[in-house]
Amino acid sequence: QVQLVESGGGLVQAGGSLRLSCAASGRTFSSYAMGWFRQAPGKGRDLIASITWTGGRTYYAESVKGRFTISTDSAKNMVYLQMNSLKPEDTAVYYCAVGSGGPQIPIIYYWGQGTQVTVSS
């Protein structure tokens, strides 16, 4: 049974930083990509960053480029999202996902349960 468990969300002031973690278990993920998505209230779920387990190729949405960094620890089956210079508009529920189909991972196989990030102004 595949499980993706996010952690690290919380409340932070604008300009601050948070590091999200995603613990992946239940299968081998080396053939897939990992992504971080977010969903703000009343909006759709959008991809903000992705990374391949093999090769470490990354993709970032323009809205987070230069502020967020996605990384993996293959030995621990962990995926991280370092978020710096946070803005109020980054407030959302952040989801970890396993997928394929290219940098924007249009095919999602598994989702985590999400973790809330709230950025106060």
Side-chain angles (χ1 to χ4, degrees), residues 41-121:
K43 297 189 177 180
R45 191 173 297 189
D46 298 320
L47 175 69
I48 55 171
S50 71
I51 188 168
T52 56
W53 284 105
T54 303
R57 293 185 299 275
T58 58
Y59 164 87
Y60 295 96
E62 284 298 322
S63 59
V64 305
K65 201 173 287 185
R67 300 188 298 125
F68 291 10
T69 303
I70 189 170
S71 61
T72 60
D73 182 334
S74 298
K76 298 180 179 178
N77 263 9
M78 296 291 294
V79 184
Y80 304 102
L81 186 69
Q82 178 67 42
M83 306 186 295
N84 298 328
S85 302
L86 283 161
K87 305 174 181 180
E89 52 263 44
D90 294 318
T91 295
V93 178
Y94 284 69
Y95 297 90
C96 176
V98 177
S100 65
Q104 298 187 43
I105 47 176
I107 303 169
I108 299 298
Y109 301 106
Y110 305 102
W111 291 100
Q113 84 287 352
T115 185
Q116 176 70 47
V117 171
T118 302
V119 184
S120 64
S121 57

Side-chain angles (χ1 to χ4, degrees), residues 5-59:
V5 180
E6 301 97 334
S7 61
L11 174 64
V12 64
Q13 287 189 329
S17 297
L18 281 175
R19 188 197 197 202
L20 304 184
S21 300
C22 173
S25 62
R27 68 167 299 156
T28 301
F29 298 99
S30 58
S31 300
Y32 301 97
M34 301 297 296
W36 284 99
F37 291 72
R38 69 185 181 189
Q39 187 167 18
K43 297 189 177 180
R45 191 173 297 189
D46 298 320
L47 175 69
I48 55 171
S50 71
I51 188 168
T52 56
W53 284 105
T54 303
R57 293 185 299 275
T58 58
Y59 164 87

